[in-house]
Amino acid sequence: MSRENLVDATASALIDRVLAGDFADGALPNQEALARECGVSRLTVREAMKGLEQRGVIRVAHGVGTFVVPAEHWRDIDAIARLQRLDPKGTGVSRQLIEVRRMIEIGAAELCAARCPDSVLETLECCVQKMRAAAEDSDVDTFVDADIDFHDTILQGTGNPFVAAIFDPMRPTLEFSRTQTSSVADIREHAIAEHQGVLDAIVARDPEAAGRAMTSHMDQTQRDLETYVLSR
């Protein structure tokens, strides 16, 4: 394993321990102790902790110790997403994801309709076809993959790399949420219809229609969540 990957793996392991409540008093052991526990060098632990400090997960009080930052103040998307996935019902994360998606994906659909190359249209059509086939086979995993690929393609189709970069760390959490909801056959059918509407608007190169179609999709996603998941 490369040094960079080892540092990342150590940081990830420390986040896992934070989420597991291993540091109940909020204080981390010293670097030497953590190095022994993680089976890595002190330098690796130091670099991992520096990264976690920059991401707002821990704070270092020089001469005092290293402490876990309260989760509501974290600035790292991956750490926040991993925390939210601990919710056994996923109710909080599902609602929050829809809020974030509304803020980003409606505008992304508009930009995609205005800017994307024809190759994006072909990929979007392929994703919808895969969703239809997976729905017929009740293949939830394939359905979710095609669903998320559809949205990833729209983000890429904006031509703005920042848009896709913002969403990338949230993909595992989105997969978690969509797998939960897409296990319901009615939700799969609703999703296919909404995705087709978004696709039609983008194919027509109509940004306003694409924005309306994505708004409709987010509205339907919210209704399905409330009706089929949260009400139970």
Side-chain angles (χ1 to χ4, degrees):
M1 183 182 295
S2 71
R3 175 147 197 84
E4 181 179 356
N5 289 340
L6 185 58
V7 170
D8 289 343
T10 302
S12 181
L14 290 175
I15 291 176
D16 285 342
R17 294 189 61 185
V18 168
L19 296 177
D22 287 358
F23 313 119
D25 60 355
L28 275 67
N30 61 42
Q31 293 180 5
E32 184 175 354
L34 286 174
R36 288 197 303 269
E37 294 169 6
C38 296
V40 296
S41 69
R42 286 186 61 183
L43 178 59
T44 297
V45 167
R46 186 180 304 119
E47 292 180 8
M49 292 177 69
K50 183 179 179 180
L52 292 179
E53 184 180 18
Q54 293 172 341
R55 293 155 65 182
V57 177
I58 64 174
R59 65 178 179 85
V60 178
H62 297 288
V64 179
T66 301
F67 304 90
V68 177
V69 173
E72 59 268 25
H73 298 301
W74 290 1
R75 301 189 304 273
D76 182 68
I77 292 177
D78 176 64
I80 294 170
R82 288 162 68 176
L83 173 64
Q84 295 291 352
R85 290 199 295 274
L86 293 179
D87 177 358
K89 294 183 179 180
T91 56
V93 67
S94 296
R95 284 187 171 123
Q96 291 165 349
L97 277 173
I98 293 173
E99 290 175 350
V100 174
R101 293 178 68 190
R102 282 185 186 277
M103 287 183 247
I104 297 175
E105 293 201 60
I106 293 171
E110 294 171 349
L111 284 178
C112 184
R115 299 177 176 177
C116 74
D118 290 344
S119 59
V120 166
L121 305 181
E122 296 170 2
T123 302
L124 292 174
E125 177 62 39
C126 182
C127 289
V128 174
Q129 291 176 356
K130 287 181 179 178
M131 290 175 68
R132 293 185 189 280
E136 291 178 1
D137 294 337
S138 297
D139 184 346
V140 175
D141 290 341
T142 299
F143 184 91
V144 170
D145 285 342
D147 183 340
I148 296 176
D149 285 345
F150 180 92
H151 290 276
D152 280 347
T153 301
I154 290 176
L155 298 176
Q156 297 289 343
T158 65
N160 186 327
F162 290 102
V163 177
I166 288 172
F167 244 68
D168 187 62
M170 289 186 279
R171 178 162 182 140
T173 306
L174 189 56
E175 289 175 346
F176 167 80
S177 177
R178 293 303 292 159
T179 298
Q180 180 190 50
T181 56
S182 295
S183 62
V184 179
D186 285 349
I187 292 180
R188 294 196 296 269
E189 291 305 312
H190 296 162
I192 290 170
E194 296 295 335
H195 282 71
Q196 185 65 56
V198 174
L199 173 60
D200 290 344
I202 293 176
V203 168
R205 303 291 187 177
D206 188 334
E208 291 186 3
R212 290 194 300 269
M214 187 61 79
T215 299
S216 173
H217 177 25
M218 294 298 105
D219 289 344
Q220 184 64 58
T221 300
Q222 181 72 50
R223 287 194 297 270
D224 284 344
L225 177 66
E226 301 291 343
T227 302
Y228 295 94
V229 180
L230 302 187
S231 64
R232 299 180 183 179

